Each structure stands twice: as C-alpha cells, then as structure tokens.
Amino acid sequence: MKAEEGITILKIGGSVITDKSSDDGSAKLDEIERIAAEISRFSGRLIIVHGAGSFGHPQAKRYALTEKFDAKGAIITHDSVKNLNRFVVNSLNKAGLNSVPVHPIGNTVCENGRIVRMFIEGIRIMLKNGFVPVLHGDVVMDTVLGISILSGDQIVPFLAMQLGAERIGIGSAKDGVLDNEGKTIETITSSNFRDIEKYIGASENTDVTGGMFGKVDELLKLCEISSITSYIFNASKNGNVLKFLNGENIGTAINNTGK
Ligand SMILES: Nc1ncnc2c1ncn2[C@@H]1O[C@H](COP(=O)(O)OP(=O)(O)O)[C@@H](O)[C@H]1O
Ligand SMILES: [Mg+2]
C-alpha cells in the first residue's frame, strides 16, 4: 500500500451478494468469497460499501421505515444488515485483507433522509494504516424523522467528497445502466440524462432506496459538484471487480465531461 495513492471507493450491491428475491436475509456466500478474493489482489487505499439486499430492504418495508418511525423495526433491520456485514468482513479478512466493520447507525446523522454529518476520522486513520473500512446501507438517526434508511448509494458519493476519492465503482447485477434494448449506456451526463431517464427505473426486487434510478441520481449529483467520474458495472461477472480496481473503465460512466 502506498500512502500517497488515491482512494478508491467500491460499492457491492445487495443484488450481487444476497438473493434479493428472498424476504429475509439470504446471503450468496460463494459470491462474497469470490469478490473478496478479487479485492484481495488490489493493494491501493480502498473503502468498501455494501448494500443490504434481502438483509435490509424486506425488513425496512415490513416495518414501513420509510413512512413512519418504528424503533423496534429499526433495530431488527439494522441487526439483520449487520449479519450480512459480518459475512463480508470475515470473507475479506480470510482472503488476507485487514477489513473493519463501520456501521453507519453509530456515526451518521441524516436530515429528512440526506446525510448531514458523518464521523469519518476513524476511516481516515484506517486508510492511512492499511485497513479496509467496510460500510453498508443502514438505519441511521435523523434530525427530523427520528430514523431514516440510508442507502449505500448515498454513502459512496458522500465519502468521495469528504475524502477526495479518485475512483468510484458501483457494482450491481446488470452490465451497467441499460437502454430500452438492453444495451449498456456508455456515458451518462446531466445533458443526456433527460433523453435516457425514461429507461431507468427502480429495482425488480424489493429495494426501498430507488434501484438503478437512485444510483444514477446520486452519481449525477456528485459530478455536478465535483469532477469525479463514477462507473456502474456488473460485479456478478467473474473478474469485473478486479478489472475495475485495476483501472479498467467498465460498465456505464457517469460524469460531467461526456467522455
Ligand atoms: N435502465 C436500467 N438498467 C439497469 N438496471 C435497471 C434499469 N432500470 C431499472 N433497473 C433495475 O435496477 C436494479 C439495480 O438496482 P438495485 O436492485 O437497487 O441494485 P443493488 O442491489 O445493486 O443496489 C437492476 O437489477 C434492475 O432490476
Ligand atoms: Mg439498491
């Protein structure tokens, strides 16, 4: 690990590491191990954020957490995602990394569902010393709502801004953002977004945080306030995570230059 290297943020979608058609926490352990092995071959400064998949979305829906405050439902949902996080962290550590669980419930505050503060000093020290922080979509405290559901898709651009990340990849289970013919859209900018918006929708499974539309929306907001390019790619395909980490630009690029 070189201390002067830029920071990479990689999100692994719940659609990749869980069976998202399940309504209660079904992990794809083989996929978690395969991805951990790919990640272990990368030596740069890295933050991992993973989605909640069937460990969070069905629970959040069951307790209607996006509609009303429910303390018990919040705890059950958080506890479930924490189980998935344990699988991810354990697999990464078995693959040879030194990864550390970072649960947003204890370090992040939202206002009406948007992050206003996150305590990131620990993450900075982790990165300096070769640890890999592993965050996840979670239930967090909210100044207005009491609690809200924080998507991993919102955590990624927030950390990218706070830490000045160099490379951002969102691994999901499709070959990027697809058009009406199922072809991967090469680049999305705020100028072509109007034309392709109609092809981008929510998840085909339970996902309370907006599916593919939510990702594109978050990443477009990020490139409006920065010059960072993000990539949405297929992390279910063998080798793609390592390709992204090694600097290959795969899937759909989201940026403000159109290149
Ligand atoms: N234009 C599109 N291209 C790709 N996926 C799309 C599109 N529109 C809607 N989707 C849906 O969004 C899903 C990705 O969002 P989501 O299920 O939230 O993934 P993740 O679990 O990785 O966060 C895809 O699997 C697909 O069902
Ligand atoms: Mg999602």
Side-chain angles (χ1 to χ4, degrees), residues 11-16 20 51-53 57 151 153 170-180 185 196 199-207 209-213 215:
K11 189 207 165 200
I12 304 291
S15 57
V16 180
K20 236 172 140 166
H57 294 285
S151 170
D153 299 332
I170 306 263
S172 193
K174 294 272 158 62
D175 289 338
V177 183
L178 309 177
D179 66 14
N180 53 330
I185 298 167
I196 52 182
Y199 308 135
I200 312 172
S203 177
E204 62 208 357
N205 294 114
T206 308
D207 191 302
T209 56
M212 192 54 85
F213 191 89
K215 296 181 203 309

PDB file of all heavy atoms in Angstrom, residues 11-16 20 51-53 57 151 153 170-180 185 196 199-207 209-213 215, ligand 1:
ATOM      1  N   LYS A  11     -18.577   0.018  -4.275  1.00  0.00           N
ATOM      2  CA  LYS A  11     -19.810  -0.467  -3.665  1.00  0.00           C
ATOM      3  C   LYS A  11     -20.202  -1.799  -4.295  1.00  0.00           C
ATOM      4  O   LYS A  11     -20.160  -1.947  -5.519  1.00  0.00           O
ATOM      5  CB  LYS A  11     -20.959   0.535  -3.851  1.00  0.00           C
ATOM      6  CG  LYS A  11     -22.169   0.084  -3.010  1.00  0.00           C
ATOM      7  CD  LYS A  11     -23.503   0.520  -3.503  1.00  0.00           C
ATOM      8  CE  LYS A  11     -24.587  -0.289  -2.812  1.00  0.00           C
ATOM      9  NZ  LYS A  11     -25.857  -0.292  -3.526  1.00  0.00           N
ATOM     10  N   ILE A  12     -20.531  -2.730  -3.436  1.00  0.00           N
ATOM     11  CA  ILE A  12     -21.026  -4.022  -3.910  1.00  0.00           C
ATOM     12  C   ILE A  12     -22.516  -4.080  -3.574  1.00  0.00           C
ATOM     13  O   ILE A  12     -22.900  -4.015  -2.400  1.00  0.00           O
ATOM     14  CB  ILE A  12     -20.292  -5.182  -3.203  1.00  0.00           C
ATOM     15  CG1 ILE A  12     -18.775  -5.076  -3.394  1.00  0.00           C
ATOM     16  CG2 ILE A  12     -20.816  -6.529  -3.705  1.00  0.00           C
ATOM     17  CD1 ILE A  12     -18.319  -5.329  -4.808  1.00  0.00           C
ATOM     18  N   GLY A  13     -23.326  -4.191  -4.598  1.00  0.00           N
ATOM     19  CA  GLY A  13     -24.772  -4.146  -4.403  1.00  0.00           C
ATOM     20  C   GLY A  13     -25.324  -5.359  -3.684  1.00  0.00           C
ATOM     21  O   GLY A  13     -24.794  -6.464  -3.802  1.00  0.00           O
ATOM     22  N   GLY A  14     -26.394  -5.127  -2.970  1.00  0.00           N
ATOM     23  CA  GLY A  14     -27.108  -6.221  -2.324  1.00  0.00           C
ATOM     24  C   GLY A  14     -27.591  -7.244  -3.346  1.00  0.00           C
ATOM     25  O   GLY A  14     -27.725  -8.433  -3.044  1.00  0.00           O
ATOM     26  N   SER A  15     -27.822  -6.780  -4.586  1.00  0.00           N
ATOM     27  CA  SER A  15     -28.279  -7.694  -5.633  1.00  0.00           C
ATOM     28  C   SER A  15     -27.187  -8.688  -6.022  1.00  0.00           C
ATOM     29  O   SER A  15     -27.469  -9.716  -6.617  1.00  0.00           O
ATOM     30  CB  SER A  15     -28.724  -6.899  -6.867  1.00  0.00           C
ATOM     31  OG  SER A  15     -27.666  -6.093  -7.319  1.00  0.00           O
ATOM     32  N   VAL A  16     -25.928  -8.363  -5.679  1.00  0.00           N
ATOM     33  CA  VAL A  16     -24.803  -9.233  -6.025  1.00  0.00           C
ATOM     34  C   VAL A  16     -24.523 -10.246  -4.907  1.00  0.00           C
ATOM     35  O   VAL A  16     -24.241 -11.407  -5.173  1.00  0.00           O
ATOM     36  CB  VAL A  16     -23.536  -8.370  -6.281  1.00  0.00           C
ATOM     37  CG1 VAL A  16     -22.336  -9.239  -6.638  1.00  0.00           C
ATOM     38  CG2 VAL A  16     -23.791  -7.326  -7.337  1.00  0.00           C
ATOM     39  N   LYS A  20     -31.900 -11.455  -3.651  1.00  0.00           N
ATOM     40  CA  LYS A  20     -32.782 -10.323  -3.376  1.00  0.00           C
ATOM     41  C   LYS A  20     -34.255 -10.669  -3.513  1.00  0.00           C
ATOM     42  O   LYS A  20     -35.121  -9.866  -3.176  1.00  0.00           O
ATOM     43  CB  LYS A  20     -32.422  -9.157  -4.293  1.00  0.00           C
ATOM     44  CG  LYS A  20     -32.101  -7.897  -3.481  1.00  0.00           C
ATOM     45  CD  LYS A  20     -31.574  -6.791  -4.321  1.00  0.00           C
ATOM     46  CE  LYS A  20     -32.162  -5.479  -3.856  1.00  0.00           C
ATOM     47  NZ  LYS A  20     -31.476  -4.321  -4.392  1.00  0.00           N
ATOM     48  N   GLY A  51     -24.402  -3.075  -0.124  1.00  0.00           N
ATOM     49  CA  GLY A  51     -25.838  -2.874   0.004  1.00  0.00           C
ATOM     50  C   GLY A  51     -26.417  -3.840   1.024  1.00  0.00           C
ATOM     51  O   GLY A  51     -25.709  -4.682   1.580  1.00  0.00           O
ATOM     52  N   ALA A  52     -27.710  -3.704   1.245  1.00  0.00           N
ATOM     53  CA  ALA A  52     -28.370  -4.525   2.265  1.00  0.00           C
ATOM     54  C   ALA A  52     -29.090  -5.724   1.659  1.00  0.00           C
ATOM     55  O   ALA A  52     -29.270  -6.749   2.323  1.00  0.00           O
ATOM     56  CB  ALA A  52     -29.366  -3.672   3.043  1.00  0.00           C
ATOM     57  N   GLY A  53     -29.481  -5.609   0.400  1.00  0.00           N
ATOM     58  CA  GLY A  53     -30.186  -6.713  -0.255  1.00  0.00           C
ATOM     59  C   GLY A  53     -31.321  -7.249   0.602  1.00  0.00           C
ATOM     60  O   GLY A  53     -32.050  -6.488   1.254  1.00  0.00           O
ATOM     61  N   HIS A  57     -33.794  -4.542   2.887  1.00  0.00           N
ATOM     62  CA  HIS A  57     -34.954  -3.959   2.205  1.00  0.00           C
ATOM     63  C   HIS A  57     -36.289  -4.586   2.620  1.00  0.00           C
ATOM     64  O   HIS A  57     -37.236  -3.844   2.912  1.00  0.00           O
ATOM     65  CB  HIS A  57     -34.756  -3.994   0.690  1.00  0.00           C
ATOM     66  CG  HIS A  57     -33.626  -3.119   0.237  1.00  0.00           C
ATOM     67  ND1 HIS A  57     -33.724  -1.746   0.175  1.00  0.00           N
ATOM     68  CD2 HIS A  57     -32.359  -3.403  -0.136  1.00  0.00           C
ATOM     69  CE1 HIS A  57     -32.575  -1.239  -0.233  1.00  0.00           C
ATOM     70  NE2 HIS A  57     -31.722  -2.231  -0.425  1.00  0.00           N
ATOM     71  N   SER A 151     -29.077   4.655   2.142  1.00  0.00           N
ATOM     72  CA  SER A 151     -28.612   3.749   1.101  1.00  0.00           C
ATOM     73  C   SER A 151     -27.096   3.804   0.974  1.00  0.00           C
ATOM     74  O   SER A 151     -26.487   4.873   1.087  1.00  0.00           O
ATOM     75  CB  SER A 151     -29.240   4.175  -0.229  1.00  0.00           C
ATOM     76  OG  SER A 151     -28.639   3.469  -1.290  1.00  0.00           O
ATOM     77  N   ASP A 153     -25.811   3.708  -1.742  1.00  0.00           N
ATOM     78  CA  ASP A 153     -25.650   4.567  -2.927  1.00  0.00           C
ATOM     79  C   ASP A 153     -25.504   6.044  -2.560  1.00  0.00           C
ATOM     80  O   ASP A 153     -25.013   6.837  -3.362  1.00  0.00           O
ATOM     81  CB  ASP A 153     -26.850   4.406  -3.875  1.00  0.00           C
ATOM     82  CG  ASP A 153     -27.007   2.977  -4.385  1.00  0.00           C
ATOM     83  OD1 ASP A 153     -25.996   2.263  -4.464  1.00  0.00           O
ATOM     84  OD2 ASP A 153     -28.154   2.582  -4.683  1.00  0.00           O
ATOM     85  N   ILE A 170     -19.615   1.329  -8.689  1.00  0.00           N
ATOM     86  CA  ILE A 170     -20.814   0.767  -8.085  1.00  0.00           C
ATOM     87  C   ILE A 170     -21.067  -0.558  -8.788  1.00  0.00           C
ATOM     88  O   ILE A 170     -21.473  -0.570  -9.956  1.00  0.00           O
ATOM     89  CB  ILE A 170     -22.024   1.713  -8.308  1.00  0.00           C
ATOM     90  CG1 ILE A 170     -21.718   3.125  -7.803  1.00  0.00           C
ATOM     91  CG2 ILE A 170     -23.301   1.143  -7.723  1.00  0.00           C
ATOM     92  CD1 ILE A 170     -22.214   3.443  -6.438  1.00  0.00           C
ATOM     93  N   GLY A 171     -20.796  -1.635  -8.101  1.00  0.00           N
ATOM     94  CA  GLY A 171     -21.013  -2.960  -8.683  1.00  0.00           C
ATOM     95  C   GLY A 171     -22.427  -3.410  -8.398  1.00  0.00           C
ATOM     96  O   GLY A 171     -22.861  -3.452  -7.250  1.00  0.00           O
ATOM     97  N   SER A 172     -23.162  -3.730  -9.464  1.00  0.00           N
ATOM     98  CA  SER A 172     -24.518  -4.227  -9.288  1.00  0.00           C
ATOM     99  C   SER A 172     -24.646  -5.503 -10.133  1.00  0.00           C
ATOM    100  O   SER A 172     -23.619  -6.071 -10.524  1.00  0.00           O
ATOM    101  CB  SER A 172     -25.504  -3.122  -9.678  1.00  0.00           C
ATOM    102  OG  SER A 172     -26.807  -3.463  -9.248  1.00  0.00           O
ATOM    103  N   ALA A 173     -25.875  -5.943 -10.415  1.00  0.00           N
ATOM    104  CA  ALA A 173     -26.021  -7.236 -11.096  1.00  0.00           C
ATOM    105  C   ALA A 173     -26.412  -7.102 -12.561  1.00  0.00           C
ATOM    106  O   ALA A 173     -26.851  -8.065 -13.191  1.00  0.00           O
ATOM    107  CB  ALA A 173     -27.026  -8.098 -10.346  1.00  0.00           C
ATOM    108  N   LYS A 174     -26.278  -5.899 -13.129  1.00  0.00           N
ATOM    109  CA  LYS A 174     -26.549  -5.694 -14.563  1.00  0.00           C
ATOM    110  C   LYS A 174     -25.274  -5.097 -15.185  1.00  0.00           C
ATOM    111  O   LYS A 174     -24.445  -4.535 -14.465  1.00  0.00           O
ATOM    112  CB  LYS A 174     -27.706  -4.700 -14.753  1.00  0.00           C
ATOM    113  CG  LYS A 174     -29.053  -5.252 -14.233  1.00  0.00           C
ATOM    114  CD  LYS A 174     -29.772  -6.037 -15.301  1.00  0.00           C
ATOM    115  CE  LYS A 174     -30.768  -6.994 -14.879  1.00  0.00           C
ATOM    116  NZ  LYS A 174     -31.917  -6.956 -14.239  1.00  0.00           N
ATOM    117  N   ASP A 175     -25.175  -5.169 -16.526  1.00  0.00           N
ATOM    118  CA  ASP A 175     -23.959  -4.690 -17.196  1.00  0.00           C
ATOM    119  C   ASP A 175     -23.901  -3.164 -17.252  1.00  0.00           C
ATOM    120  O   ASP A 175     -23.527  -2.597 -18.284  1.00  0.00           O
ATOM    121  CB  ASP A 175     -23.881  -5.249 -18.629  1.00  0.00           C
ATOM    122  CG  ASP A 175     -23.574  -6.734 -18.625  1.00  0.00           C
ATOM    123  OD1 ASP A 175     -23.026  -7.228 -17.624  1.00  0.00           O
ATOM    124  OD2 ASP A 175     -23.905  -7.405 -19.622  1.00  0.00           O
ATOM    125  N   GLY A 176     -24.309  -2.491 -16.217  1.00  0.00           N
ATOM    126  CA  GLY A 176     -24.320  -1.027 -16.198  1.00  0.00           C
ATOM    127  C   GLY A 176     -25.756  -0.542 -16.254  1.00  0.00           C
ATOM    128  O   GLY A 176     -26.684  -1.267 -15.894  1.00  0.00           O
ATOM    129  N   VAL A 177     -25.918   0.702 -16.728  1.00  0.00           N
ATOM    130  CA  VAL A 177     -27.265   1.243 -16.921  1.00  0.00           C
ATOM    131  C   VAL A 177     -27.668   0.870 -18.346  1.00  0.00           C
ATOM    132  O   VAL A 177     -26.951   1.181 -19.296  1.00  0.00           O
ATOM    133  CB  VAL A 177     -27.299   2.774 -16.724  1.00  0.00           C
ATOM    134  CG1 VAL A 177     -28.721   3.296 -16.864  1.00  0.00           C
ATOM    135  CG2 VAL A 177     -26.699   3.153 -15.375  1.00  0.00           C
ATOM    136  N   LEU A 178     -28.797   0.182 -18.482  1.00  0.00           N
ATOM    137  CA  LEU A 178     -29.192  -0.355 -19.791  1.00  0.00           C
ATOM    138  C   LEU A 178     -30.238   0.538 -20.460  1.00  0.00           C
ATOM    139  O   LEU A 178     -31.045   1.175 -19.775  1.00  0.00           O
ATOM    140  CB  LEU A 178     -29.767  -1.767 -19.613  1.00  0.00           C
ATOM    141  CG  LEU A 178     -28.898  -2.741 -18.809  1.00  0.00           C
ATOM    142  CD1 LEU A 178     -29.605  -4.081 -18.624  1.00  0.00           C
ATOM    143  CD2 LEU A 178     -27.530  -2.944 -19.460  1.00  0.00           C
ATOM    144  N   ASP A 179     -30.202   0.541 -21.820  1.00  0.00           N
ATOM    145  CA  ASP A 179     -31.230   1.310 -22.548  1.00  0.00           C
ATOM    146  C   ASP A 179     -32.454   0.431 -22.825  1.00  0.00           C
ATOM    147  O   ASP A 179     -32.526  -0.695 -22.332  1.00  0.00           O
ATOM    148  CB  ASP A 179     -30.636   1.920 -23.834  1.00  0.00           C
ATOM    149  CG  ASP A 179     -30.230   0.858 -24.840  1.00  0.00           C
ATOM    150  OD1 ASP A 179     -30.639  -0.314 -24.686  1.00  0.00           O
ATOM    151  OD2 ASP A 179     -29.500   1.203 -25.794  1.00  0.00           O
ATOM    152  N   ASN A 180     -33.364   0.900 -23.649  1.00  0.00           N
ATOM    153  CA  ASN A 180     -34.613   0.151 -23.895  1.00  0.00           C
ATOM    154  C   ASN A 180     -34.377  -1.161 -24.629  1.00  0.00           C
ATOM    155  O   ASN A 180     -35.228  -2.035 -24.640  1.00  0.00           O
ATOM    156  CB  ASN A 180     -35.631   1.024 -24.641  1.00  0.00           C
ATOM    157  CG  ASN A 180     -35.053   1.617 -25.892  1.00  0.00           C
ATOM    158  OD1 ASN A 180     -33.850   1.866 -25.969  1.00  0.00           O
ATOM    159  ND2 ASN A 180     -35.888   1.840 -26.881  1.00  0.00           N
ATOM    160  N   ILE A 185     -25.530   1.650 -21.623  1.00  0.00           N
ATOM    161  CA  ILE A 185     -25.313   3.053 -21.994  1.00  0.00           C
ATOM    162  C   ILE A 185     -23.884   3.406 -21.591  1.00  0.00           C
ATOM    163  O   ILE A 185     -23.488   3.173 -20.446  1.00  0.00           O
ATOM    164  CB  ILE A 185     -26.331   3.963 -21.267  1.00  0.00           C
ATOM    165  CG1 ILE A 185     -27.758   3.606 -21.688  1.00  0.00           C
ATOM    166  CG2 ILE A 185     -26.026   5.444 -21.517  1.00  0.00           C
ATOM    167  CD1 ILE A 185     -28.858   4.201 -20.814  1.00  0.00           C
ATOM    168  N   ILE A 196     -32.498   9.777 -21.575  1.00  0.00           N
ATOM    169  CA  ILE A 196     -32.459   8.345 -21.216  1.00  0.00           C
ATOM    170  C   ILE A 196     -33.147   8.048 -19.881  1.00  0.00           C
ATOM    171  O   ILE A 196     -33.358   6.887 -19.555  1.00  0.00           O
ATOM    172  CB  ILE A 196     -30.996   7.827 -21.164  1.00  0.00           C
ATOM    173  CG1 ILE A 196     -30.150   8.712 -20.281  1.00  0.00           C
ATOM    174  CG2 ILE A 196     -30.407   7.688 -22.535  1.00  0.00           C
ATOM    175  CD1 ILE A 196     -28.716   8.280 -20.227  1.00  0.00           C
ATOM    176  N   TYR A 199     -35.677   5.253 -19.430  1.00  0.00           N
ATOM    177  CA  TYR A 199     -35.303   3.834 -19.411  1.00  0.00           C
ATOM    178  C   TYR A 199     -34.852   3.376 -18.028  1.00  0.00           C
ATOM    179  O   TYR A 199     -34.607   2.192 -17.805  1.00  0.00           O
ATOM    180  CB  TYR A 199     -34.141   3.549 -20.375  1.00  0.00           C
ATOM    181  CG  TYR A 199     -34.355   4.055 -21.781  1.00  0.00           C
ATOM    182  CD1 TYR A 199     -33.336   4.724 -22.451  1.00  0.00           C
ATOM    183  CD2 TYR A 199     -35.576   3.850 -22.431  1.00  0.00           C
ATOM    184  CE1 TYR A 199     -33.513   5.183 -23.733  1.00  0.00           C
ATOM    185  CE2 TYR A 199     -35.761   4.314 -23.715  1.00  0.00           C
ATOM    186  CZ  TYR A 199     -34.731   4.982 -24.361  1.00  0.00           C
ATOM    187  OH  TYR A 199     -34.921   5.439 -25.629  1.00  0.00           O
ATOM    188  N   ILE A 200     -34.664   4.308 -17.106  1.00  0.00           N
ATOM    189  CA  ILE A 200     -34.037   3.950 -15.827  1.00  0.00           C
ATOM    190  C   ILE A 200     -35.100   3.898 -14.742  1.00  0.00           C
ATOM    191  O   ILE A 200     -35.825   4.866 -14.533  1.00  0.00           O
ATOM    192  CB  ILE A 200     -32.936   4.971 -15.435  1.00  0.00           C
ATOM    193  CG1 ILE A 200     -32.013   5.237 -16.642  1.00  0.00           C
ATOM    194  CG2 ILE A 200     -32.118   4.457 -14.257  1.00  0.00           C
ATOM    195  CD1 ILE A 200     -31.022   6.349 -16.419  1.00  0.00           C
ATOM    196  N   GLY A 201     -35.161   2.756 -14.052  1.00  0.00           N
ATOM    197  CA  GLY A 201     -36.232   2.601 -13.089  1.00  0.00           C
ATOM    198  C   GLY A 201     -35.785   2.120 -11.735  1.00  0.00           C
ATOM    199  O   GLY A 201     -34.599   2.167 -11.379  1.00  0.00           O
ATOM    200  N   ALA A 202     -36.763   1.636 -10.977  1.00  0.00           N
ATOM    201  CA  ALA A 202     -36.498   1.094  -9.643  1.00  0.00           C
ATOM    202  C   ALA A 202     -35.992  -0.347  -9.796  1.00  0.00           C
ATOM    203  O   ALA A 202     -35.786  -0.827 -10.898  1.00  0.00           O
ATOM    204  CB  ALA A 202     -37.784   1.136  -8.832  1.00  0.00           C
ATOM    205  N   SER A 203     -35.827  -1.027  -8.679  1.00  0.00           N
ATOM    206  CA  SER A 203     -35.333  -2.402  -8.702  1.00  0.00           C
ATOM    207  C   SER A 203     -36.447  -3.363  -9.082  1.00  0.00           C
ATOM    208  O   SER A 203     -37.613  -3.122  -8.811  1.00  0.00           O
ATOM    209  CB  SER A 203     -34.802  -2.743  -7.319  1.00  0.00           C
ATOM    210  OG  SER A 203     -34.385  -4.068  -7.270  1.00  0.00           O
ATOM    211  N   GLU A 204     -36.045  -4.503  -9.715  1.00  0.00           N
ATOM    212  CA  GLU A 204     -37.074  -5.525  -9.988  1.00  0.00           C
ATOM    213  C   GLU A 204     -37.416  -6.291  -8.711  1.00  0.00           C
ATOM    214  O   GLU A 204     -38.395  -7.012  -8.646  1.00  0.00           O
ATOM    215  CB  GLU A 204     -36.610  -6.475 -11.092  1.00  0.00           C
ATOM    216  CG  GLU A 204     -35.364  -7.263 -10.752  1.00  0.00           C
ATOM    217  CD  GLU A 204     -34.526  -7.659 -11.977  1.00  0.00           C
ATOM    218  OE1 GLU A 204     -34.921  -7.379 -13.105  1.00  0.00           O
ATOM    219  OE2 GLU A 204     -33.451  -8.244 -11.750  1.00  0.00           O
ATOM    220  N   ASN A 205     -36.556  -6.145  -7.670  1.00  0.00           N
ATOM    221  CA  ASN A 205     -36.820  -6.768  -6.374  1.00  0.00           C
ATOM    222  C   ASN A 205     -37.146  -5.692  -5.347  1.00  0.00           C
ATOM    223  O   ASN A 205     -37.232  -4.527  -5.683  1.00  0.00           O
ATOM    224  CB  ASN A 205     -35.596  -7.563  -5.928  1.00  0.00           C
ATOM    225  CG  ASN A 205     -35.330  -8.755  -6.833  1.00  0.00           C
ATOM    226  OD1 ASN A 205     -34.325  -8.798  -7.519  1.00  0.00           O
ATOM    227  ND2 ASN A 205     -36.244  -9.700  -6.854  1.00  0.00           N
ATOM    228  N   THR A 206     -37.329  -6.140  -4.078  1.00  0.00           N
ATOM    229  CA  THR A 206     -37.622  -5.140  -3.053  1.00  0.00           C
ATOM    230  C   THR A 206     -36.375  -4.298  -2.801  1.00  0.00           C
ATOM    231  O   THR A 206     -35.320  -4.818  -2.445  1.00  0.00           O
ATOM    232  CB  THR A 206     -38.027  -5.837  -1.731  1.00  0.00           C
ATOM    233  OG1 THR A 206     -39.053  -6.759  -2.041  1.00  0.00           O
ATOM    234  CG2 THR A 206     -38.495  -4.833  -0.699  1.00  0.00           C
ATOM    235  N   ASP A 207     -36.483  -2.994  -3.027  1.00  0.00           N
ATOM    236  CA  ASP A 207     -35.369  -2.081  -2.758  1.00  0.00           C
ATOM    237  C   ASP A 207     -35.988  -0.732  -2.425  1.00  0.00           C
ATOM    238  O   ASP A 207     -36.555  -0.070  -3.304  1.00  0.00           O
ATOM    239  CB  ASP A 207     -34.446  -1.982  -3.983  1.00  0.00           C
ATOM    240  CG  ASP A 207     -33.149  -1.262  -3.655  1.00  0.00           C
ATOM    241  OD1 ASP A 207     -33.212  -0.093  -3.198  1.00  0.00           O
ATOM    242  OD2 ASP A 207     -32.059  -1.844  -3.836  1.00  0.00           O
ATOM    243  N   THR A 209     -34.637   1.984  -1.687  1.00  0.00           N
ATOM    244  CA  THR A 209     -33.823   3.174  -1.919  1.00  0.00           C
ATOM    245  C   THR A 209     -33.646   3.534  -3.394  1.00  0.00           C
ATOM    246  O   THR A 209     -32.706   4.218  -3.764  1.00  0.00           O
ATOM    247  CB  THR A 209     -32.442   3.051  -1.228  1.00  0.00           C
ATOM    248  OG1 THR A 209     -31.805   1.856  -1.684  1.00  0.00           O
ATOM    249  CG2 THR A 209     -32.581   3.003   0.268  1.00  0.00           C
ATOM    250  N   GLY A 210     -34.558   3.059  -4.255  1.00  0.00           N
ATOM    251  CA  GLY A 210     -34.591   3.664  -5.594  1.00  0.00           C
ATOM    252  C   GLY A 210     -33.963   2.891  -6.734  1.00  0.00           C
ATOM    253  O   GLY A 210     -33.959   3.367  -7.859  1.00  0.00           O
ATOM    254  N   GLY A 211     -33.410   1.691  -6.486  1.00  0.00           N
ATOM    255  CA  GLY A 211     -32.884   0.862  -7.569  1.00  0.00           C
ATOM    256  C   GLY A 211     -31.867   1.588  -8.429  1.00  0.00           C
ATOM    257  O   GLY A 211     -31.069   2.386  -7.937  1.00  0.00           O
ATOM    258  N   MET A 212     -31.905   1.321  -9.745  1.00  0.00           N
ATOM    259  CA  MET A 212     -30.910   1.921 -10.641  1.00  0.00           C
ATOM    260  C   MET A 212     -31.092   3.428 -10.736  1.00  0.00           C
ATOM    261  O   MET A 212     -30.114   4.174 -10.825  1.00  0.00           O
ATOM    262  CB  MET A 212     -31.033   1.264 -12.031  1.00  0.00           C
ATOM    263  CG  MET A 212     -29.901   1.583 -12.958  1.00  0.00           C
ATOM    264  SD  MET A 212     -28.270   1.212 -12.242  1.00  0.00           S
ATOM    265  CE  MET A 212     -28.083  -0.525 -12.632  1.00  0.00           C
ATOM    266  N   PHE A 213     -32.339   3.896 -10.684  1.00  0.00           N
ATOM    267  CA  PHE A 213     -32.570   5.334 -10.778  1.00  0.00           C
ATOM    268  C   PHE A 213     -31.880   6.056  -9.617  1.00  0.00           C
ATOM    269  O   PHE A 213     -31.252   7.108  -9.786  1.00  0.00           O
ATOM    270  CB  PHE A 213     -34.075   5.655 -10.788  1.00  0.00           C
ATOM    271  CG  PHE A 213     -34.345   7.083 -11.153  1.00  0.00           C
ATOM    272  CD1 PHE A 213     -34.512   7.438 -12.480  1.00  0.00           C
ATOM    273  CD2 PHE A 213     -34.384   8.078 -10.178  1.00  0.00           C
ATOM    274  CE1 PHE A 213     -34.724   8.768 -12.837  1.00  0.00           C
ATOM    275  CE2 PHE A 213     -34.592   9.411 -10.527  1.00  0.00           C
ATOM    276  CZ  PHE A 213     -34.764   9.749 -11.860  1.00  0.00           C
ATOM    277  N   LYS A 215     -29.218   5.179  -7.993  1.00  0.00           N
ATOM    278  CA  LYS A 215     -27.760   5.242  -8.182  1.00  0.00           C
ATOM    279  C   LYS A 215     -27.387   6.381  -9.128  1.00  0.00           C
ATOM    280  O   LYS A 215     -26.502   7.186  -8.842  1.00  0.00           O
ATOM    281  CB  LYS A 215     -27.241   3.933  -8.803  1.00  0.00           C
ATOM    282  CG  LYS A 215     -27.422   2.719  -7.928  1.00  0.00           C
ATOM    283  CD  LYS A 215     -26.863   1.471  -8.623  1.00  0.00           C
ATOM    284  CE  LYS A 215     -27.513   0.221  -8.077  1.00  0.00           C
ATOM    285  NZ  LYS A 215     -27.512   0.112  -6.630  1.00  0.00           N
TER     286      LYS A 215
HETATM  287  N1  LIG B   1     -32.080   1.042 -17.107  1.00  0.00           N
HETATM  288  C1  LIG B   1     -31.754   0.114 -16.178  1.00  0.00           C
HETATM  289  N2  LIG B   1     -30.574  -0.543 -16.279  1.00  0.00           N
HETATM  290  C2  LIG B   1     -30.226  -1.486 -15.387  1.00  0.00           C
HETATM  291  N3  LIG B   1     -30.998  -1.830 -14.316  1.00  0.00           N
HETATM  292  C3  LIG B   1     -32.189  -1.220 -14.159  1.00  0.00           C
HETATM  293  C4  LIG B   1     -32.612  -0.208 -15.070  1.00  0.00           C
HETATM  294  N4  LIG B   1     -33.822   0.250 -14.668  1.00  0.00           N
HETATM  295  C5  LIG B   1     -34.154  -0.435 -13.558  1.00  0.00           C
HETATM  296  N5  LIG B   1     -33.182  -1.329 -13.229  1.00  0.00           N
HETATM  297  C6  LIG B   1     -33.257  -2.240 -12.079  1.00  0.00           C
HETATM  298  O1  LIG B   1     -32.433  -1.726 -11.048  1.00  0.00           O
HETATM  299  C7  LIG B   1     -31.738  -2.825 -10.448  1.00  0.00           C
HETATM  300  C8  LIG B   1     -30.474  -2.329  -9.748  1.00  0.00           C
HETATM  301  O2  LIG B   1     -30.839  -1.675  -8.554  1.00  0.00           O
HETATM  302  P1  LIG B   1     -30.850  -2.436  -7.168  1.00  0.00           P
HETATM  303  O3  LIG B   1     -31.725  -3.654  -7.228  1.00  0.00           O
HETATM  304  O4  LIG B   1     -31.134  -1.426  -6.119  1.00  0.00           O
HETATM  305  O5  LIG B   1     -29.339  -2.953  -7.121  1.00  0.00           O
HETATM  306  P2  LIG B   1     -28.352  -3.071  -5.865  1.00  0.00           P
HETATM  307  O6  LIG B   1     -28.886  -4.213  -5.058  1.00  0.00           O
HETATM  308  O7  LIG B   1     -27.062  -3.409  -6.559  1.00  0.00           O
HETATM  309  O8  LIG B   1     -28.376  -1.761  -5.159  1.00  0.00           O
HETATM  310  C9  LIG B   1     -31.468  -3.775 -11.596  1.00  0.00           C
HETATM  311  O9  LIG B   1     -31.200  -5.089 -11.177  1.00  0.00           O
HETATM  312  C10 LIG B   1     -32.778  -3.668 -12.376  1.00  0.00           C
HETATM  313  O10 LIG B   1     -33.748  -4.523 -11.793  1.00  0.00           O
END
